[in-house]
Amino acid sequence: MSGNFNISAWFANHGQDKTRPPLDSVIAALKEQGVTRFGATGYCFGGRYTFDLAFEGIIQCSVVAHPSGLKIPEDLEHRLISLAQKYASISKAPLLINSCTVDAQFPLEAQAKADEILGGGKFAPGYKREYFEGCTHGFAVRGDLSDEKVKAGKEGSFKASVKFFLQYL
């Protein structure tokens, strides 16, 4: 990324009012063509949309990697509870979270909370969290492939995602 990238300006121009309509248009067009089941994968910024599509019952399978924009625990529980609890109480879509060691957006404490709320068979549709040691936020899409741990995390995340979609879609 360029040293002069202004993330605040980027977020100001990429609010839900601008970024959600294209998703809805693609889903509507696919439905018109007869597609009836959907899975979504969200990386970082897209994790929020994957959760929202699951909350709205639009998708039947959710995969996220180093998600951002989530409120933990609100989005796993319901509004007054947590993200994991919101997910558990509203969504019926199985959920895979690809997580890592260093992630300010989805820190180890949030990862543990997600496991506490959804793991151990508590979320009947299905829940799994993969953890990639030695990786940092963004590893699944823009990791340094010269670093063996990051390369293993990126490849492992991809393989886990494909396997999860094949299992649940």
Side-chain angles (χ1 to χ4, degrees), residues 58-137:
I58 294 171
I59 60 174
Q60 288 70 48
C61 188
S62 303
V63 173
V64 296
H66 40 80
S68 67
L70 305 179
K71 295 178 182 121
I72 307 293
E74 295 93 307
D75 283 332
L76 294 175
E77 299 172 343
H78 201 339
R79 253 309 158 214
L80 300 175
I81 315 165
S82 80
L83 175 59
Q85 291 167 324
K86 180 178 180 182
Y87 198 93
S89 68
I90 294 176
S91 178
K92 304 222 179 337
L95 172 64
L96 168 65
I97 300 175
N98 290 306
S99 63
C100 61
T101 309
V102 179
D103 191 345
Q105 296 295 318
F106 192 60
L108 296 174
E109 303 79 34
Q111 295 173 36
K113 188 68 172 171
D115 291 346
E116 176 188 321
I117 294 165
L118 299 168
K122 293 176 193 159
F123 184 59
Y127 169 75
K128 185 171 187 178
R129 183 174 65 83
E130 294 284 352
Y131 175 77
F132 297 97
E133 179 72 37
C135 293
T136 61
H137 183 87

Side-chain angles (χ1 to χ4, degrees), residues 14 21 37 41 50 52 60 93 96 103 105-106 110 126 134 138 156 158 164:
H14 291 84
R37 293 183 53 78
T41 186
T50 299
D52 290 343
Q60 288 70 48
L96 168 65
D103 191 345
Q105 296 295 318
F106 192 60
F158 177 78
F164 199 78

